[in-house]
Amino acid sequence: TSLNSIGEMHSPENGNHSSHSAAMTTSPAKSLRYPFKVAASAGDYVVGKVNCGVDTSIDYSKKAVTGVTSNKYVTMVTKTITAFENDVVTKTKPYTAKAKPYIQPVVPYIEKAKPYAPSLAAGIAILAAIPFVFTLFVLAMITSPVWGFFALITSFIWVPLAICATIVFSFIFAIVASVGTIRYFTRPTGRAMLLKNWKKMSSTAMGQKIFYQ
C-alpha cells in the first residue's frame, strides 16, 4: 500500500502537476500521522500554485520578448546595426589582413594565458581596491564631524527608511529563496535528493514512530 508523499512535486520540463503519492512506501498497516497529512496537503497546494505561477510568468515573458523583437521598429534598428557592423568589418578587413602576420605569433601565448586570466583579473582588482578603500576610509574619518552631524539631525528620516528598506528587501529575498527552493526540488535532480533523504529519515526506528501511526 502506498503512502501520501510529503509534498507534490511539479516538473518544469513537462509542465504537469503530478502527484507522487506512491513515491514513499512502507508496510501496509502504516499511514502518515494526521499533522503530516495536513502538511502534505498544504505542500501540494503551495508547490502547485508556485510552479503554475512561475511557469505562467515565464510564458508571458517569452511572449513579450517575442512581441518586442518582432516589432517593425525594433527589426529596422536591428537591421541598421547589422548593416553598420558588416560595413565596418568590410572596411577594416584589408588592415586586419595586413596586421595578421604580426598578431598570429602572439596568439598561442594568449591561448595559454586564458585559463589564468580570471584569477589575474581578480588579483589586480583586489590590489587596486585596497588603496581605494583605504583612501575612502581616511576621507570618512576626516569629514566625520560634518557628515556625522547631518546624519544625527536627519536620523528621524533615514532611520525609519532604512528599517523599512531592510524589511522589504528581507521579504523579497525570502520569497525569491523560497520559490527557488521549490523550483529546485521539483526538478528530477532535486526530487531524487529529496526522496533519498526522506527514505533514509523515515526508515529509521525514530522516523517510523514520529511520522507513521
Side-chain angles (χ1 to χ4, degrees), residues 136-177:
L136 290 179
F137 177 76
V138 171
L139 290 175
M141 292 294 294
I142 294 173
T143 60
S144 60
V146 178
W147 60 260
F149 172 74
F150 284 104
L152 179 63
I153 63 176
T154 59
S155 59
F156 68 95
I157 297 175
W158 64 265
V159 169
L161 289 177
I163 294 173
C164 292
T166 302
I167 293 172
V168 169
F169 283 113
S170 299
F171 182 70
I172 293 173
F173 176 78
I175 291 177
V176 172

Side-chain angles (χ1 to χ4, degrees), residues 3 6 26 30-33 36 197-213:
L3 300 178
I6 290 300
T26 185
K30 292 187 176 182
S31 62
L32 287 173
R33 295 184 185 275
F36 299 107
N197 290 319
W198 162 251
K199 289 177 181 179
K200 185 185 298 184
M201 182 172 55
S202 62
S203 62
T204 61
M206 183 63 69
Q208 293 287 318
K209 292 179 180 179
I210 293 174
F211 297 115
Y212 300 111
Q213 296 178 357

Side-chain angles (χ1 to χ4, degrees), residues 45-204:
Y45 180 80
V46 172
V47 169
K49 290 295 182 182
V50 167
N51 281 304
C52 182
V54 172
D55 291 338
T56 303
S57 301
I58 292 173
D59 290 338
Y60 279 118
S61 299
K62 289 180 179 178
K63 289 179 181 177
V65 171
T66 303
V68 170
T69 54
S70 61
N71 184 276
K72 61 178 182 179
Y73 298 106
V74 176
T75 304
M76 182 177 64
V77 171
T78 304
K79 288 181 179 179
T80 303
I81 294 173
T82 304
F84 176 75
E85 290 177 348
N86 292 335
D87 185 56
V88 170
V89 170
T90 302
K91 289 181 177 179
T92 57
K93 193 172 183 179
Y95 303 100
T96 305
K98 290 180 181 179
K100 191 174 181 180
Y102 304 99
I103 298 173
Q104 196 64 34
V106 186
V107 172
Y109 300 100
I110 296 175
E111 293 294 331
K112 290 181 180 179
K114 274 185 179 179
Y116 307 99
S119 302
L120 183 61
I124 293 173
I126 292 172
L127 291 175
I130 292 173
F132 179 74
V133 173
F134 181 74
T135 302
L136 290 179
F137 177 76
V138 171
L139 290 175
M141 292 294 294
I142 294 173
T143 60
S144 60
V146 178
W147 60 260
F149 172 74
F150 284 104
L152 179 63
I153 63 176
T154 59
S155 59
F156 68 95
I157 297 175
W158 64 265
V159 169
L161 289 177
I163 294 173
C164 292
T166 302
I167 293 172
V168 169
F169 283 113
S170 299
F171 182 70
I172 293 173
F173 176 78
I175 291 177
V176 172
S178 300
V179 172
T181 302
I182 290 173
R183 296 290 287 181
Y184 174 75
F185 284 110
T186 53
R187 294 179 182 276
T189 303
R191 178 159 182 80
M193 182 188 302
L194 184 64
L195 290 176
K196 180 181 178 181
N197 290 319
W198 162 251
K199 289 177 181 179
K200 185 185 298 184
M201 182 172 55
S202 62
S203 62
T204 61

